[in-house]
Amino acid sequence: VIPFLDEIDAKCSLKVGDNITTDHIMPAGAKILPLRSNIPKISEYCFAVCDEGFHDRALQLGQSIIVGGSNYGQGSSREHAALAPLYLGIKAVIVKSFARIHMANLINNGILPLVFVNEWDYDNIRLGDEFVIKYAADQIKGAVEGQNVMVTLVRTGEEIPTRLNISARQCDILLAGGLLNYTKEAK
C-alpha cells in the first residue's frame, strides 16, 4: 500500500445499489474459507454475486473506484471485504451512506470512503465513468475540518461534492496508505 498521491484518476469499476453487505463484497462459506490467507485467490470472488466481471475489470483498470447506494458494507465486520478490493486496486468508494465498521475497515486499508453530499449525484454515474480527485492529500486533510472532497466526473466536467467523515488519526492513517504504514511510521 502506498500513501495517497496528489491526484487520483480512476474509472468506476462497479456501481451497486443499496444495502450491499460484506457478503456481497466478499462472500463467506466453505468454498472460500480455505482461501482466507490467499488474497489474490480470494479476490476472484469479490462482488461475484453482484457482477461476475468485476474482478477482471478491476484488475485490467489497475486502479478504480466503486460507487454504491445507502448502507454500503452492512453486516459482519469482515476485514477481507476491504482487503480484496484493496488488492484489486480500489482507491475510493463513493456511496450514499456507509455501515460504520466497514467504513473503518476501508480507512484502515487506505481506501478513501466518500459519501455523496447530494444523493442524486449517484444517479448520474455510469459504469466506466472516469473520476479525478485533484489535490487528494490536501482534500483529505481538509475533510478533518469539515470541508468537502471534490470529485470531478470527467464525462460531464461536473464537480461532485462528497464528505469524508474522519478524525485526525483516521486522516493520518489514510495519508500513510493504511494502518500498517501508519503503525510503521509511528515507531
Side-chain angles (χ1 to χ4, degrees):
V1 180
I2 59 171
F4 269 92
L5 303 175
D6 190 42
E7 182 173 291
I8 297 171
D9 187 337
K11 292 186 176 182
C12 176
S13 58
L14 182 70
K15 184 177 180 185
V16 291
D18 296 339
N19 300 314
I20 294 298
T21 69
T22 52
D23 278 326
H24 288 104
I25 302 167
M26 192 67 260
K31 184 164 107 177
I32 294 176
L33 186 60
L35 306 174
R36 289 185 62 81
S37 62
N38 186 342
I39 302 303
K41 188 67 177 167
I42 203 170
S43 75
E44 294 175 11
Y45 298 92
C46 189
F47 282 109
V49 297
C50 299
D51 181 343
E52 290 182 359
F54 169 72
H55 171 268
D56 293 343
R57 184 170 47 252
L59 280 179
Q60 181 181 23
L61 290 170
Q63 65 178 20
S64 62
I65 292 175
I66 293 172
V67 173
S70 298
N71 201 24
Y72 179 90
Q74 70 168 330
S76 70
S77 61
R78 188 167 303 144
E79 185 179 23
H80 284 78
L83 283 172
L86 173 67
Y87 172 79
L88 294 172
I90 301 304
K91 297 297 178 193
V93 178
I94 309 172
V95 299
K96 294 179 183 177
S97 66
F98 280 102
R100 179 183 50 84
I101 293 173
H102 184 65
M103 185 178 129
N105 283 339
L106 291 174
I107 291 168
N108 288 339
N109 283 282
I111 298 173
L112 199 55
L114 301 171
V115 176
F116 291 108
V117 169
N118 305 308
E119 289 188 2
W120 62 78
D121 284 326
Y122 167 91
D123 298 327
N124 297 328
I125 296 170
R126 302 176 191 159
L127 184 66
D129 273 346
E130 182 180 358
F131 299 101
V132 175
I133 303 172
K134 294 181 181 176
Y135 313 109
D138 289 339
Q139 289 203 69
I140 292 167
K141 291 174 191 172
V144 175
E145 305 299 323
Q147 296 173 22
N148 288 337
V149 173
M150 301 305 291
V151 178
T152 303
L153 177 58
V154 173
R155 177 175 46 83
T156 64
E158 179 185 3
E159 293 273 320
I160 299 173
T162 65
R163 289 186 311 276
L164 177 58
N165 302 316
I166 56 171
S167 67
R169 180 176 181 270
Q170 289 173 318
C171 175
D172 290 342
I173 290 169
L174 278 170
L175 292 174
L179 188 58
L180 289 176
N181 290 350
Y182 171 78
T183 304
K184 288 177 191 175
E185 290 175 4
K187 291 182 180 181

